[in-house]
Amino acid sequence: MSNTIKLFENSSYISKFNATVLECIEVAQGDKFHQIYEYKAILDKTAFYPEGGGQPSDRGTISIISHSPSNQKLNSKTIPVLDVHEKNGIIYHYISSPLNKNDSVECTIDWDFRFMLMQHHTGEHIVSGLINKHFGFNNVGFHMGESYVTIDIDNKLTQENLDFIENAANTTVQKNLGVKIDCPVPDELDLLNYRSKKHIDSDIRIVSVPGADMCACCGTHVKTTGEVGIIKFLSSQNYKGGTRVYMLCGKRALKDYNKKNKILYDISAQLSTKPENAHESVSQIKSERDRLKYENAALMDKIFEYRAAAIDKNLDKIILFEENLLPSDLLKFSSHLTKDRNNIVLLFSGSDERGYKYLISSSTMDIRPVADSFNDIFNAKGGGKGNCIQGTVKAHKSDILEYIEPYDFNLSPNI
Ligand SMILES: [Zn+2]
């Protein structure tokens, strides 16, 4: 079978085309629990871009064209194109219903999705080309995800570098320069200084953006840089010794801006401040929260100290159930309850429904055997040092009390 004619190579703007089905092959996809039989159709020509070079495959539909007795054209059946792949020059269209050999079909590309991909793909060329031009670094990975695009660069870029590139990239967009596609002959190719992501055996297609990029690429691009709309870097991170840049272009960047703008205005409204002052207000609230946390901790410590002082010093066993104490509160409370005493303290915080955090401690005893038997009986989890065990238990207060109140803790000092 001869190679599929790739209509997208000559024009990225073909969104509708007619073709003839050369073959439709049944394929099994999924696992044994989710087996769905699909088909892959081969057409004589296609504008559906197959997944490759970081660009996802196109989506769209294939309609079987049928004719009425008076030879009027009728679209009888429309099948969604689920995926598109290329192997050895043949492009396969993955569909859920079969087509017949020699069927005449009318194909429609999901244009909004494709144009979004073209904007991001062209934006990626501009950014990667400018990084290469100004810093000499290479693009070593490119992925167009559902939420953002990532570009992996083989060296470290500072925030200042990225700000510079983002600005230069948007200047390239605003100049509305023509994006040129050429297929130079080998002699001409030798004279060109172009970026190439991988070795390509077939005819090399060179994509050029004046002043920004010249790169071997077989993907789909917009005709002029202005169509990219805007190039916005979202963030960056160190990645495999280089830099991963998160980016959005065009309407997706606008959508992202709108979403974040709304979040900022909502936060500002809650803080009763202007959006430009929201950051400072949040910093003030955080500082105030930290101060209150510190003050609250000191007050809780005082409360624990007073409550401990009100409990008879000669009690050899103190059992208390609290409602909302943190593990750190339990620790503080127990330190007051065991200070200068020969006792064992069993503190619980929580409820029968949620379960309890517990702390068993003594300043004079090794309480590990007590904790071990408690954990065994109630299937509780906990650990710690010889004089303090902390953990969690899912049991009812009445059952816990029934077990520990009569328990002989044998308070002989052995630490
Ligand atoms: Zn490209």
Side-chain angles (χ1 to χ4, degrees):
M1 186 175 290
S2 54
N3 288 357
T4 311
I5 298 168
K6 297 170 178 173
L7 300 172
F8 53 80
E9 281 193 342
N10 290 326
S11 174
S12 300
Y13 289 79
I14 298 170
S15 60
K16 279 185 187 293
F17 63 98
N18 294 319
T20 303
V21 178
L22 300 184
E23 200 176 344
C24 189
I25 306 155
E26 195 172 341
V27 290
Q29 288 220 332
D31 55 36
K32 62 180 177 179
F33 301 109
H34 306 91
Q35 192 97 44
I36 45 165
Y37 279 89
E38 292 182 347
Y39 303 85
K40 52 181 182 181
I42 305 167
L43 309 177
D44 62 333
K45 54 182 174 292
T46 189
F48 280 98
Y49 183 79
E51 185 185 336
Q55 183 172 331
S57 65
D58 278 329
R59 303 164 181 170
T61 54
I62 295 178
S63 299
I64 302 162
I65 305 171
S66 59
H67 292 86
S68 68
S70 59
N71 209 27
Q72 264 195 316
K73 194 178 90 178
L74 300 168
N75 281 343
S76 58
K77 192 178 179 189
T78 296
I79 302 166
V81 175
L82 307 168
D83 206 351
V84 187
H85 285 276
E86 179 179 0
K87 196 174 179 187
N88 302 325
I90 309 290
I91 293 180
Y92 298 92
H93 306 75
Y94 286 80
I95 49 182
S96 53
S97 307
L99 293 168
N100 295 314
K101 192 174 178 178
N102 296 326
D103 270 349
S104 290
V105 290
E106 196 171 88
C107 305
T108 307
I109 308 277
D110 177 343
W111 182 247
D112 286 347
F113 182 69
R114 157 67 87 74
F115 187 68
M116 179 274 291
L117 296 178
M118 283 160 55
Q119 286 181 310
H120 285 84
H121 194 133
T122 312
E124 181 267 326
H125 273 280
I126 296 170
V127 168
S128 300
L130 286 170
I131 289 172
N132 187 258
K133 177 181 166 181
H134 291 283
F135 302 110
F137 304 156
N138 300 302
N139 172 325
V140 287
F142 170 47
H143 176 70
M144 289 198 216
E146 285 294 320
S147 310
Y148 44 73
V149 162
T150 57
I151 301 175
D152 297 333
I153 302 298
D154 66 354
N155 217 319
K156 294 263 167 46
L157 288 164
T158 64
Q159 189 55 51
E160 197 182 0
N161 297 154
L162 290 166
D163 291 346
F164 171 79
I165 293 295
E166 188 186 59
N167 188 51
N170 281 290
T171 301
T172 304
V173 170
Q174 286 154 19
K175 285 181 181 170
N176 200 23
L177 306 167
V179 178
K180 220 170 124 210
I181 311 286
D182 290 306
C183 293
V185 295
D187 286 350
E188 291 172 329
L189 199 60
D190 288 344
L191 301 173
L192 297 177
N193 182 22
Y194 65 94
R195 294 191 302 117
S196 175
K197 285 166 201 149
K198 58 185 177 183
H199 177 72
I200 304 163
D201 288 326
S202 56
D203 291 343
I204 292 186
R205 193 165 171 262
I206 298 291
V207 179
S208 315
V209 181
D213 193 30
M214 183 178 283
C215 182
C217 181
C218 53
T220 57
H221 312 86
V222 293
K223 272 191 295 218
T224 54
T225 57
E227 290 174 83
V228 175
I230 188 168
I231 295 175
K232 182 75 199 103
F233 294 166
L234 305 179
S235 63
S236 67
Q237 67 181 92
N238 292 335
Y239 184 74
K240 292 183 177 175
T243 308
R244 171 165 280 186
V245 182
Y246 294 80
M247 180 183 87
L248 281 179
C249 296
K251 278 194 181 172
R252 280 176 93 187
L254 176 67
K255 201 172 162 190
D256 185 64
Y257 179 92
N258 287 340
K259 187 174 84 181
K260 287 170 180 167
N261 198 44
K262 186 179 180 311
I263 291 169
L264 178 60
Y265 272 81
D266 284 352
I267 291 171
S268 309
Q270 286 189 54
L271 299 174
S272 302
T273 190
K274 292 176 183 172
E276 57 268 33
N277 296 333
H279 182 263
E280 195 185 326
S281 291
V282 169
S283 295
Q284 283 170 359
I285 287 170
K286 275 182 73 184
S287 303
E288 181 66 4
R289 185 203 60 182
D290 291 346
R291 190 187 67 74
L292 289 171
K293 266 171 81 175
Y294 183 78
E295 200 176 285
N296 188 55
L299 285 170
M300 288 300 287
D301 196 46
K302 274 286 166 207
I303 290 170
F304 294 143
E305 188 183 346
Y306 291 141
R307 284 185 63 191
I311 295 172
D312 184 354
K313 279 208 165 204
N314 297 316
L315 278 178
D316 59 4
K317 179 165 64 180
I318 300 172
I319 303 166
L320 291 171
F321 277 80
E322 305 287 321
E323 276 192 7
N324 289 309
L325 296 188
L326 299 169
S328 56
D329 291 331
L330 294 178
L331 208 55
K332 271 185 213 157
F333 201 2
S334 78
S335 72
H336 289 296
L337 291 166
T338 54
K339 192 178 174 189
D340 302 327
R341 302 179 191 219
N342 178 20
N343 64 5
I344 185 162
V345 172
L346 299 103
L347 293 179
F348 297 86
S349 176
S351 65
D352 285 0
E353 293 73 34
R354 286 181 284 127
Y356 293 91
K357 292 186 272 287
Y358 78 81
L359 182 145
I360 305 172
S361 69
S362 168
S363 56
T364 52
M365 313 294 149
D366 182 348
I367 46 81
R368 279 174 293 193
V370 176
D372 286 346
S373 75
F374 177 81
N375 287 341
D376 281 348
I377 295 288
F378 290 101
N379 197 21
K381 289 185 178 123
K385 294 178 187 164
N387 62 347
C388 180
I389 303 287
Q390 279 186 286
T392 55
V393 59
K394 190 90 178 105
H396 284 191
K397 179 181 175 180
S398 55
D399 293 335
I400 295 171
L401 284 173
E402 194 182 331
Y403 174 72
I404 57 175
E405 275 182 332
Y407 192 94
D408 178 9
F409 290 103
N410 184 21
L411 295 177
S412 51
N414 57 2
I415 284 183

